[in-house]
Amino acid sequence: MSREKRGVREIITAEDTEIVDAWARKIFNSRGEETIEVEIYTGTGYGRASAPSGASVGAHEVVAFPEGGIDAALEAFENIVAPEIIGMDADDQEGVDRKLWELDGTGNFSRIGGATATATSFAVAKAAAATHGIPLFQHLGGAMACLLPYPLGNVLGGGKHSKGLGPDIQEILVIPLGADSMYEAVRANIVVHSRLPKVIRKYDPYFAGGRNDEGAWTSCLSNDKALEAVYEVCREVSRELGIEIRMGIDVAASSLWNPEKGKYIYIRDKVERSPREQLEYITSLVEKYDLVYVEDPFHEEDFNSFAELRDRVGDRCIVTGDDLFVTNSERLKRGIEVRAANGIIIKPNQVGTITRAYETITLAKEHGYIPIMSHRSGETESEVIAHLAVAFGCPIIKTGTVGGERIVKLNELIRVAEYLGKRAKMNKAPLRKFMR
Ligand code: PGA
Ligand code: ZN
């Protein structure tokens, strides 16, 4: 019997994965802002992807849109990007990503837009995976990519995501470190989220069930009361489910930092803290709430305070840089030199391509930093980061708890786990030392 008669796929050749068509359109993200979506066609495959966007954007991120905004980005795609990538091999992710960088030529994607680059890079990877008839995580990570990330979910929030109407701390998060499966892990975070309103109401009788940009509850609680509420629910649900669920925070301290005063301004708590006081305050929170995760506790230029905090609590807490590192390998190298932080947020759109994000993840792992794959506060229905987390072996994914644009990533991971069957394992090893 011939190969075709037995239904055996023909061997894929570079001809099949050649990019034959590409275009872009405007769509909307979860905040209702315009963003770019890109479609890539190969001979027999197709990929479509969009770019997310941040509210608390790091000063050193690539520029999301060129001057002229979304329309200029579409124009750049049509005139600069599409003509050059048509004819390239979608299997050559690194080559396409390098081409995007060269075509832009500014060193920060300000000519074609970081969003344009991100959506293109994602769409090319999806088109290649589809051409091969395999899932995206397998296309990028290979047959040995079987480790699933622990979901780190924002349950109670403030800062810019709540338009200044919540606590000063941008995010209070939970992570079910004791979960043995993806489904159990996702569910644990959801149970915490769904129990919280009852406790929030105890402290804030006016709480009306409001949720912020990332689907976290938002209420005008003091920072301490907000942390206490989550702590209480976390312990209750941990006991009930028999799973270790721990707490974390994203201070997004660049948003609190006043460079003229040299202080962090806590509007809700009516407190101002010097960098030294901030260090003491954060250390006290790690102790009081047994925090396993602290993101951006200091502003984005203060590498030294990140190093001091790591020195103090790094054996039990993942001290993470988001605005500090902006997924950039050069910024991470600076951090490695002074031992600043021991975790790094990976937001591919901060650097504009899958390749650049991958390089930073590789560097992080080499130096014992935990890479945390992350969404943005303005998301789309894209499932791509779920695949990137598995492909590149990130032990944690930070992608909210509920809400369509968040749950789409978590549901995709449940599907990935099912697809992998017995091979699927939670990526526990790098996190073991942080467990109780
Ligand atoms: P952003 O916030 O997507 O609004 O930047 C998320 C974060 O700070 O982690
Ligand atoms: Zn952050």
Side-chain angles (χ1 to χ4, degrees):
M1 215 191 295
S2 74
R3 286 164 52 89
E4 285 89 325
K5 290 243 176 68
R6 288 207 312 264
V8 175
R9 282 183 73 88
E10 277 298 334
I11 292 163
I12 307 262
T13 66
E15 227 164 85
D16 297 301
T17 49
E18 182 184 324
I19 297 170
V20 295
D21 205 356
W23 74 85
R25 67 171 65 84
K26 284 192 263 190
I27 60 164
F28 294 98
N29 72 17
S30 55
R31 249 197 302 262
E33 301 157 335
E34 288 171 322
T35 189
I36 180 166
E37 177 169 86
V38 168
E39 301 207 0
I40 298 287
Y41 282 85
T42 64
T44 54
Y46 158 75
R48 185 179 72 199
S50 50
S53 67
S56 57
V57 176
H60 303 280
E61 295 188 23
V62 298
V63 178
F65 292 103
E67 216 175 293
I70 180 80
D71 292 313
L74 289 180
E75 233 169 81
F77 182 84
E78 205 181 316
N79 299 326
I80 304 169
V81 176
E84 290 288 332
I85 63 166
I86 289 173
M88 287 187 82
D89 185 356
D91 258 351
D92 182 12
Q93 187 70 40
E94 210 244 312
V96 172
D97 288 346
R98 196 175 340 107
K99 176 64 83 182
L100 290 168
W101 187 251
E102 287 165 5
L103 287 172
D104 179 82
T106 63
N108 64 2
F109 278 127
S110 56
R111 181 165 178 234
I112 65 168
T116 313
T118 304
T120 307
S121 184
F122 284 5
V124 166
K126 284 181 72 173
T131 308
H132 291 290
I134 57 173
L136 180 59
F137 76 91
Q138 243 171 23
H139 164 63
L140 292 170
M144 306 309 276
C146 300
L147 296 172
L148 292 152
Y150 282 86
L152 173 67
N154 188 358
V155 290
L156 179 52
K160 285 193 176 159
H161 297 168
S162 300
K163 301 175 181 67
L165 301 171
D168 303 293
I169 293 175
Q170 183 178 275
E171 300 167 31
I172 303 176
L173 306 128
V174 291
I175 179 166
L177 283 182
D180 289 321
S181 74
M182 199 67 225
Y183 182 87
E184 192 180 48
V186 171
R187 180 164 175 270
N189 284 0
I190 289 173
V191 174
V192 172
H193 184 273
S194 69
R195 289 281 172 85
L196 255 176
K198 177 180 96 202
V199 180
I200 296 174
R201 225 166 276 134
K202 265 198 335 203
Y203 299 120
D204 172 11
Y206 299 107
F207 176 60
R211 282 167 32 178
N212 73 6
D213 285 359
E214 293 191 352
W217 302 112
T218 194
S219 125
C220 51
L221 293 173
S222 69
N223 293 287
D224 242 324
K225 284 279 172 285
L227 286 158
E228 256 162 52
V230 177
Y231 191 62
E232 186 181 325
V233 175
C234 222
R235 283 172 57 129
E236 178 188 302
V237 177
S238 274
R239 231 176 295 125
E240 210 176 290
L241 301 182
I243 293 175
E244 178 180 335
I245 307 172
R246 299 280 294 281
M247 270 171 71
I249 54 175
D250 179 0
V251 185
S254 292
S255 308
L256 307 180
W257 178 243
N258 182 319
E260 284 82 45
K261 285 191 169 178
K263 289 195 167 174
Y264 295 95
I265 317 290
Y266 288 70
I267 291 172
R268 174 70 54 200
D269 284 3
K270 300 190 178 62
V271 179
E272 300 186 359
R273 293 190 171 94
S274 69
R276 184 82 354 219
E277 287 164 342
Q278 178 80 347
L279 178 67
E280 296 305 331
Y281 175 60
I282 300 295
T283 309
S284 76
L285 294 184
V286 172
E287 272 154 26
K288 188 165 177 198
Y289 300 105
D290 196 17
L291 302 180
V292 75
Y293 181 87
V294 173
E295 180 180 329
D296 281 353
F298 309 103
H299 71 82
E300 60 209 335
E301 309 302 343
D302 191 1
F303 282 81
N304 291 337
S305 292
F306 275 85
E308 279 192 70
L309 186 65
R310 168 182 167 167
D311 195 41
R312 285 188 182 190
V313 304
D315 58 336
R316 67 209 117 110
C317 180
I318 308 167
V319 177
T320 301
D322 169 14
D323 292 346
L324 180 75
F325 295 134
V326 291
T327 316
N328 184 309
S329 58
E330 294 306 318
R331 303 263 313 168
L332 177 58
K333 275 181 205 153
R334 246 180 93 184
I336 290 166
E337 271 166 31
V338 296
R339 296 173 59 78
N342 57 355
I344 174 170
I345 280 284
I346 303 293
K347 292 170 171 168
N349 81 319
Q350 286 181 328
V351 283
T353 63
I354 290 178
T355 303
R356 294 188 81 208
Y358 170 75
E359 284 166 359
T360 303
I361 293 169
T362 307
L363 181 68
K365 285 188 187 169
E366 267 168 32
H367 293 272
Y369 281 62
I370 305 276
I372 297 120
M373 184 58 63
S374 171
H375 65 169
R376 300 306 305 251
S377 52
E379 265 297 333
T380 69
E381 71 276 27
S382 170
E383 73 300 355
V384 169
I385 61 162
H387 286 264
L388 298 185
V390 180
F392 302 151
C394 296
I396 301 176
I397 185 166
K398 183 188 181 208
T399 186
T401 309
V402 293
E405 72 283 3
R406 320 283 153 193
I407 213 79
V408 67
K409 285 115 175 125
L410 297 166
N411 283 343
E412 186 73 353
L413 285 165
I414 290 171
R415 288 181 207 110
V416 168
E418 184 184 302
Y419 177 92
L420 287 168
K422 281 207 200 91
R423 289 177 296 153
K425 285 194 182 57
M426 296 307 287
N427 199 346
K428 192 167 273 186
L431 302 178
R432 203 158 268 137
K433 73 170 188 180
F434 301 106
M435 291 182 70
R436 246 186 235 117

mmCIF file with all atom_site columns, all heavy atoms in Angstrom, residues 104-118:
data_model
loop_
_atom_site.group_PDB
_atom_site.id
_atom_site.type_symbol
_atom_site.label_atom_id
_atom_site.label_alt_id
_atom_site.label_comp_id
_atom_site.label_asym_id
_atom_site.label_entity_id
_atom_site.label_seq_id
_atom_site.pdbx_PDB_ins_code
_atom_site.Cartn_x
_atom_site.Cartn_y
_atom_site.Cartn_z
_atom_site.occupancy
_atom_site.B_iso_or_equiv
_atom_site.pdbx_formal_charge
_atom_site.auth_seq_id
_atom_site.auth_comp_id
_atom_site.auth_asym_id
_atom_site.auth_atom_id
_atom_site.pdbx_PDB_model_num
ATOM 1  N N   . ASP A 1 104 ? 12.915 46.753 11.378 1.00 0.00 ? 104 ASP A N   1
ATOM 2  C CA  . ASP A 1 104 ? 12.587 47.895 12.238 1.00 0.00 ? 104 ASP A CA  1
ATOM 3  C C   . ASP A 1 104 ? 13.800 48.827 12.368 1.00 0.00 ? 104 ASP A C   1
ATOM 4  O O   . ASP A 1 104 ? 13.694 50.031 12.140 1.00 0.00 ? 104 ASP A O   1
ATOM 5  C CB  . ASP A 1 104 ? 12.130 47.411 13.623 1.00 0.00 ? 104 ASP A CB  1
ATOM 6  C CG  . ASP A 1 104 ? 11.817 48.578 14.520 1.00 0.00 ? 104 ASP A CG  1
ATOM 7  O OD1 . ASP A 1 104 ? 10.705 49.115 14.412 1.00 0.00 ? 104 ASP A OD1 1
ATOM 8  O OD2 . ASP A 1 104 ? 12.704 48.988 15.300 1.00 0.00 ? 104 ASP A OD2 1
ATOM 9  N N   . GLY A 1 105 ? 14.898 48.213 12.762 1.00 0.00 ? 105 GLY A N   1
ATOM 10 C CA  . GLY A 1 105 ? 16.170 48.936 12.768 1.00 0.00 ? 105 GLY A CA  1
ATOM 11 C C   . GLY A 1 105 ? 16.367 50.001 13.841 1.00 0.00 ? 105 GLY A C   1
ATOM 12 O O   . GLY A 1 105 ? 17.382 50.694 13.845 1.00 0.00 ? 105 GLY A O   1
ATOM 13 N N   . THR A 1 106 ? 15.410 50.153 14.761 1.00 0.00 ? 106 THR A N   1
ATOM 14 C CA  . THR A 1 106 ? 15.553 51.230 15.762 1.00 0.00 ? 106 THR A CA  1
ATOM 15 C C   . THR A 1 106 ? 16.085 50.729 17.097 1.00 0.00 ? 106 THR A C   1
ATOM 16 O O   . THR A 1 106 ? 16.441 51.526 17.958 1.00 0.00 ? 106 THR A O   1
ATOM 17 C CB  . THR A 1 106 ? 14.193 51.914 16.035 1.00 0.00 ? 106 THR A CB  1
ATOM 18 O OG1 . THR A 1 106 ? 13.298 50.935 16.608 1.00 0.00 ? 106 THR A OG1 1
ATOM 19 C CG2 . THR A 1 106 ? 13.584 52.475 14.767 1.00 0.00 ? 106 THR A CG2 1
ATOM 20 N N   . GLY A 1 107 ? 16.085 49.413 17.302 1.00 0.00 ? 107 GLY A N   1
ATOM 21 C CA  . GLY A 1 107 ? 16.535 48.879 18.592 1.00 0.00 ? 107 GLY A CA  1
ATOM 22 C C   . GLY A 1 107 ? 15.453 48.873 19.656 1.00 0.00 ? 107 GLY A C   1
ATOM 23 O O   . GLY A 1 107 ? 15.679 48.378 20.767 1.00 0.00 ? 107 GLY A O   1
ATOM 24 N N   . ASN A 1 108 ? 14.272 49.431 19.348 1.00 0.00 ? 108 ASN A N   1
ATOM 25 C CA  . ASN A 1 108 ? 13.167 49.352 20.326 1.00 0.00 ? 108 ASN A CA  1
ATOM 26 C C   . ASN A 1 108 ? 11.792 49.203 19.634 1.00 0.00 ? 108 ASN A C   1
ATOM 27 O O   . ASN A 1 108 ? 10.764 49.446 20.245 1.00 0.00 ? 108 ASN A O   1
ATOM 28 C CB  . ASN A 1 108 ? 13.179 50.561 21.278 1.00 0.00 ? 108 ASN A CB  1
ATOM 29 C CG  . ASN A 1 108 ? 12.917 51.873 20.539 1.00 0.00 ? 108 ASN A CG  1
ATOM 30 O OD1 . ASN A 1 108 ? 12.691 51.884 19.321 1.00 0.00 ? 108 ASN A OD1 1
ATOM 31 N ND2 . ASN A 1 108 ? 12.926 52.973 21.263 1.00 0.00 ? 108 ASN A ND2 1
ATOM 32 N N   . PHE A 1 109 ? 11.836 48.755 18.408 1.00 0.00 ? 109 PHE A N   1
ATOM 33 C CA  . PHE A 1 109 ? 10.622 48.517 17.621 1.00 0.00 ? 109 PHE A CA  1
ATOM 34 C C   . PHE A 1 109 ? 9.738  49.753 17.458 1.00 0.00 ? 109 PHE A C   1
ATOM 35 O O   . PHE A 1 109 ? 8.527  49.634 17.267 1.00 0.00 ? 109 PHE A O   1
ATOM 36 C CB  . PHE A 1 109 ? 9.811  47.339 18.185 1.00 0.00 ? 109 PHE A CB  1
ATOM 37 C CG  . PHE A 1 109 ? 10.314 45.995 17.729 1.00 0.00 ? 109 PHE A CG  1
ATOM 38 C CD1 . PHE A 1 109 ? 10.618 44.996 18.656 1.00 0.00 ? 109 PHE A CD1 1
ATOM 39 C CD2 . PHE A 1 109 ? 10.487 45.712 16.387 1.00 0.00 ? 109 PHE A CD2 1
ATOM 40 C CE1 . PHE A 1 109 ? 11.086 43.747 18.243 1.00 0.00 ? 109 PHE A CE1 1
ATOM 41 C CE2 . PHE A 1 109 ? 10.957 44.463 15.962 1.00 0.00 ? 109 PHE A CE2 1
ATOM 42 C CZ  . PHE A 1 109 ? 11.254 43.491 16.893 1.00 0.00 ? 109 PHE A CZ  1
ATOM 43 N N   . SER A 1 110 ? 10.320 50.933 17.520 1.00 0.00 ? 110 SER A N   1
ATOM 44 C CA  . SER A 1 110 ? 9.473  52.124 17.411 1.00 0.00 ? 110 SER A CA  1
ATOM 45 C C   . SER A 1 110 ? 9.073  52.426 15.967 1.00 0.00 ? 110 SER A C   1
ATOM 46 O O   . SER A 1 110 ? 8.170  53.224 15.717 1.00 0.00 ? 110 SER A O   1
ATOM 47 C CB  . SER A 1 110 ? 10.168 53.340 18.032 1.00 0.00 ? 110 SER A CB  1
ATOM 48 O OG  . SER A 1 110 ? 11.419 53.545 17.423 1.00 0.00 ? 110 SER A OG  1
ATOM 49 N N   . ARG A 1 111 ? 9.721  51.756 14.991 1.00 0.00 ? 111 ARG A N   1
ATOM 50 C CA  . ARG A 1 111 ? 9.333  52.019 13.590 1.00 0.00 ? 111 ARG A CA  1
ATOM 51 C C   . ARG A 1 111 ? 8.126  51.163 13.183 1.00 0.00 ? 111 ARG A C   1
ATOM 52 O O   . ARG A 1 111 ? 7.140  51.684 12.669 1.00 0.00 ? 111 ARG A O   1
ATOM 53 C CB  . ARG A 1 111 ? 10.522 51.731 12.671 1.00 0.00 ? 111 ARG A CB  1
ATOM 54 C CG  . ARG A 1 111 ? 10.218 52.004 11.222 1.00 0.00 ? 111 ARG A CG  1
ATOM 55 C CD  . ARG A 1 111 ? 11.482 52.078 10.375 1.00 0.00 ? 111 ARG A CD  1
ATOM 56 N NE  . ARG A 1 111 ? 11.158 52.292 8.987  1.00 0.00 ? 111 ARG A NE  1
ATOM 57 C CZ  . ARG A 1 111 ? 11.592 51.522 7.988  1.00 0.00 ? 111 ARG A CZ  1
ATOM 58 N NH1 . ARG A 1 111 ? 12.393 50.492 8.235  1.00 0.00 ? 111 ARG A NH1 1
ATOM 59 N NH2 . ARG A 1 111 ? 11.246 51.788 6.747  1.00 0.00 ? 111 ARG A NH2 1
ATOM 60 N N   . ILE A 1 112 ? 8.201  49.840 13.428 1.00 0.00 ? 112 ILE A N   1
ATOM 61 C CA  . ILE A 1 112 ? 7.056  48.998 13.029 1.00 0.00 ? 112 ILE A CA  1
ATOM 62 C C   . ILE A 1 112 ? 6.093  48.772 14.198 1.00 0.00 ? 112 ILE A C   1
ATOM 63 O O   . ILE A 1 112 ? 4.941  48.389 13.998 1.00 0.00 ? 112 ILE A O   1
ATOM 64 C CB  . ILE A 1 112 ? 7.511  47.628 12.448 1.00 0.00 ? 112 ILE A CB  1
ATOM 65 C CG1 . ILE A 1 112 ? 8.211  46.759 13.500 1.00 0.00 ? 112 ILE A CG1 1
ATOM 66 C CG2 . ILE A 1 112 ? 8.383  47.824 11.220 1.00 0.00 ? 112 ILE A CG2 1
ATOM 67 C CD1 . ILE A 1 112 ? 8.415  45.305 13.047 1.00 0.00 ? 112 ILE A CD1 1
ATOM 68 N N   . GLY A 1 113 ? 6.548  49.000 15.430 1.00 0.00 ? 113 GLY A N   1
ATOM 69 C CA  . GLY A 1 113 ? 5.707  48.787 16.613 1.00 0.00 ? 113 GLY A CA  1
ATOM 70 C C   . GLY A 1 113 ? 5.959  47.417 17.227 1.00 0.00 ? 113 GLY A C   1
ATOM 71 O O   . GLY A 1 113 ? 5.988  46.401 16.515 1.00 0.00 ? 113 GLY A O   1
ATOM 72 N N   . GLY A 1 114 ? 6.144  47.407 18.544 1.00 0.00 ? 114 GLY A N   1
ATOM 73 C CA  . GLY A 1 114 ? 6.346  46.142 19.263 1.00 0.00 ? 114 GLY A CA  1
ATOM 74 C C   . GLY A 1 114 ? 5.139  45.231 19.139 1.00 0.00 ? 114 GLY A C   1
ATOM 75 O O   . GLY A 1 114 ? 5.267  44.004 19.094 1.00 0.00 ? 114 GLY A O   1
ATOM 76 N N   . ALA A 1 115 ? 3.944  45.835 19.082 1.00 0.00 ? 115 ALA A N   1
ATOM 77 C CA  . ALA A 1 115 ? 2.723  45.028 18.944 1.00 0.00 ? 115 ALA A CA  1
ATOM 78 C C   . ALA A 1 115 ? 2.708  44.325 17.590 1.00 0.00 ? 115 ALA A C   1
ATOM 79 O O   . ALA A 1 115 ? 2.333  43.145 17.484 1.00 0.00 ? 115 ALA A O   1
ATOM 80 C CB  . ALA A 1 115 ? 1.491  45.913 19.105 1.00 0.00 ? 115 ALA A CB  1
ATOM 81 N N   . THR A 1 116 ? 3.132  45.025 16.547 1.00 0.00 ? 116 THR A N   1
ATOM 82 C CA  . THR A 1 116 ? 3.199  44.439 15.199 1.00 0.00 ? 116 THR A CA  1
ATOM 83 C C   . THR A 1 116 ? 4.167  43.258 15.200 1.00 0.00 ? 116 THR A C   1
ATOM 84 O O   . THR A 1 116 ? 3.860  42.185 14.649 1.00 0.00 ? 116 THR A O   1
ATOM 85 C CB  . THR A 1 116 ? 3.717  45.503 14.188 1.00 0.00 ? 116 THR A CB  1
ATOM 86 O OG1 . THR A 1 116 ? 3.001  46.710 14.417 1.00 0.00 ? 116 THR A OG1 1
ATOM 87 C CG2 . THR A 1 116 ? 3.557  45.036 12.766 1.00 0.00 ? 116 THR A CG2 1
ATOM 88 N N   . ALA A 1 117 ? 5.329  43.466 15.819 1.00 0.00 ? 117 ALA A N   1
ATOM 89 C CA  . ALA A 1 117 ? 6.339  42.404 15.869 1.00 0.00 ? 117 ALA A CA  1
ATOM 90 C C   . ALA A 1 117 ? 5.816  41.195 16.642 1.00 0.00 ? 117 ALA A C   1
ATOM 91 O O   . ALA A 1 117 ? 5.932  40.051 16.188 1.00 0.00 ? 117 ALA A O   1
ATOM 92 C CB  . ALA A 1 117 ? 7.621  42.945 16.508 1.00 0.00 ? 117 ALA A CB  1
ATOM 93 N N   . THR A 1 118 ? 5.216  41.458 17.796 1.00 0.00 ? 118 THR A N   1
ATOM 94 C CA  . THR A 1 118 ? 4.715  40.367 18.643 1.00 0.00 ? 118 THR A CA  1
ATOM 95 C C   . THR A 1 118 ? 3.658  39.539 17.906 1.00 0.00 ? 118 THR A C   1
ATOM 96 O O   . THR A 1 118 ? 3.727  38.304 17.872 1.00 0.00 ? 118 THR A O   1
ATOM 97 C CB  . THR A 1 118 ? 4.097  40.945 19.941 1.00 0.00 ? 118 THR A CB  1
ATOM 98 O OG1 . THR A 1 118 ? 5.078  41.747 20.589 1.00 0.00 ? 118 THR A OG1 1
ATOM 99 C CG2 . THR A 1 118 ? 3.648  39.840 20.877 1.00 0.00 ? 118 THR A CG2 1
#
